[in-house]
Structure formats: C-alpha cells, structure tokens
Amino acid sequence: MKILPERKNSLLAFQKSVGVSFKDISLLDLAFHHRSFSNENSEAKHLNNERLEFLGDSVLGLVTADFLYNDMKENQEGDLAKIKAAAVSEKALSPVALKLKIDTLLVLGKGEEKSGGRKKPAILADCMEAVIGAIYLDSGYEAAKKYVLSFIIPEVRMLQETGGKDYKSLLQEYYQKKTKSCPVYETVSITGPDHERVFEVQVHLGNKVFGPEKAGSKKEAEQLAAKKALFSIMK
C-alpha cells in the first residue's frame, strides 16, 4: 500500500524519536496497522501487524531474558521469571507506547476507532511488539535489542526496587514513610461512550502533581499515575 507524504513524515519523525532508521519504511508503517483495519478493507485483508507482533514478542522476550540473566547473577530462575513477566506485560508496555505517541500512529478500523481502541492497553502493547518485529526484520537483532533495552532497563530497575508490588501500594508506603501523608488521586476527566470510558487521573504529592494518565478504568489510570510519581521521586 502506498504511503502518503504526510504519513511518511510522521513515520520518519517517530523513527527519529526512538533512534532507529528503517531501510524499508513500509515495514514500520505495517507495524501500526491493527487487524480491525484489514478486517474492514477487503483490498487490504492481509495488511495488519499480527505477524510482526508474533515475531516482536519473541525478540522482546529474548532480549529481556538475556538482560536479566546477566544482570541478576545471584538470583534463581523464579526471580528472573517474575521480573520478566512483569516487564514485558501489557501493563508495562502500554504506558511506554503512549509515551512514544504510538497511539497517534495507529491505523484502526472505524469500529475500533469509535470504541476507543487508540487508548486500549492491549492494542498499544501489541503494537509495541510489532514495532520490535519490524526493526528486527529491517535492521537485525542488535538494532532491535538496542530499542528494547531503551525501555526495558528502566522498567526492570523499578521492578527490582519494588519487588513487583503494585504502584499505588508502593507509592503510599514510600510517601507515608517520608512525609506521614497520603497521595491524593484526582479524576481529571471521564470521556467516551458508556461501554468504552477513558479515565484521566493525576496524583498529588503535597504541592507536586504527576499525570494526568489515561486508561480504560479509573483503577488502571491511578496505577499509571502512581507509577509516574514513583519513577520521578525514586530517581
């Protein structure tokens, strides 16, 4: 499928922002095409990112496992498996996708677009994996590894610090111990139809505000806001 100039400029800006350079920009473009688009377009029925996602998932797993094996030399297999599962989870990948503005590049079917698919954690995480697959095919393992490590290492470091506890609990423990006060969560907005709400939440730590973060549930948005606050105050 031909890539229009405006679309190509957006793809070039994305690859520059993540530090990669594609020989075949159409591979990167394909990584953003969700199956809902191909399902609604008979002439493009095979143009979706599922095969790239399949490949990228394996590359992501290998890079993460290799890093943990060499980084956590004194830990048993169970410890490595626990950290790996959390680091490559939908919960971990979807906020990274939003930070990289992957949501703005997604190509969705009309139905998925209307239902808020651009912000769905599962779609964002799958696209993250598809991008990894595209980098691997275009530029090889080392390039894909460099990209993966750029966002996996910070996530692993946080998980090593927290022991895998949820971010709201950790933020409360840390902030209460430090100030004797509790974090205060504020729902900034609730948008979208009844069946596909998007919650926007920020967290107040005294005079500092972190967020807002968006998610399909208030609970998940609070977790994302807590995560942002933790990353900031624990640096």
Side-chain angles (χ1 to χ4, degrees):
M1 184 175 289
K2 185 178 179 181
I3 303 174
L4 297 175
E6 185 178 352
R7 174 71 175 175
K8 187 174 182 179
N9 287 338
S10 297
L11 293 169
L12 291 172
F14 172 80
Q15 69 171 15
K16 184 177 180 180
S17 72
V18 299
V20 298
S21 181
F22 274 78
K23 303 182 210 54
D24 182 3
I25 200 74
S26 66
L27 266 176
L28 179 60
D29 186 45
L30 181 61
F32 294 110
H33 280 65
H34 186 251
R35 68 175 176 271
S36 60
F37 172 79
S38 58
N39 287 344
E40 291 181 11
N41 294 272
S42 57
E43 73 279 7
K45 62 180 180 179
H46 299 302
L47 286 177
N48 64 62
N49 64 7
E50 290 187 335
R51 284 169 56 84
L52 287 175
E53 175 201 333
F54 166 78
L55 183 60
D57 175 64
S58 295
V59 176
L60 172 64
L62 176 57
V63 172
T64 306
D66 178 65
F67 175 76
L68 291 172
Y69 182 85
N70 290 290
D71 186 68
M72 301 174 67
K73 295 182 184 296
E74 304 301 319
N75 294 76
Q76 297 299 312
E77 181 271 343
D79 297 328
L80 304 183
K82 182 179 178 181
I83 295 289
K84 176 177 177 286
V88 303
S89 67
E90 176 185 304
K91 186 176 179 180
L93 293 178
S94 56
V96 177
L98 288 172
K99 185 178 180 181
L100 296 176
K101 299 183 179 179
I102 277 176
D103 56 311
T104 66
L105 288 164
L106 284 168
V107 179
L108 305 170
K110 292 178 181 178
E112 192 63 67
E113 185 76 69
K114 288 180 181 178
S115 71
R118 202 165 287 278
K119 299 296 182 183
K120 288 182 180 177
I123 290 177
L124 290 167
D126 289 347
C127 188
M128 281 289 291
E129 293 175 343
V131 169
I132 295 166
I135 295 171
Y136 173 76
L137 283 180
D138 184 84
S139 303
Y141 177 74
E142 288 303 319
K145 177 180 177 180
K146 182 179 178 182
Y147 173 67
V148 170
L149 291 178
S150 71
F151 60 82
I152 280 294
I153 291 178
E155 188 67 29
V156 166
R157 293 290 179 247
M158 177 59 74
L159 290 165
Q160 288 169 336
E161 288 277 346
T162 63
K165 291 183 182 178
D166 74 88
Y167 294 111
K168 278 190 72 177
S169 298
L170 287 163
L171 181 62
Q172 176 125 344
E173 290 172 13
Y174 185 88
Y175 192 62
Q176 273 190 323
K177 185 176 180 180
K178 193 173 181 181
T179 68
K180 308 300 181 187
S181 301
C182 293
V184 177
Y185 293 87
E186 177 191 0
T187 302
V188 177
S189 68
I190 304 173
T191 56
D194 290 340
H195 67 282
E196 201 64 51
R197 292 294 194 200
V198 176
F199 293 81
E200 197 169 5
V201 173
Q202 60 189 20
V203 59
H204 298 258
L205 302 181
N207 295 325
K208 293 185 178 180
V209 181
F210 299 90
E213 298 295 315
K214 295 180 181 179
S217 71
K218 183 178 178 181
K219 183 178 178 181
E220 182 64 21
E222 288 176 346
Q223 287 286 347
L224 294 177
K227 179 180 179 180
K228 175 172 275 190
L230 264 177
F231 265 95
S232 178
I233 66 179
M234 291 180 72
K235 280 183 180 178

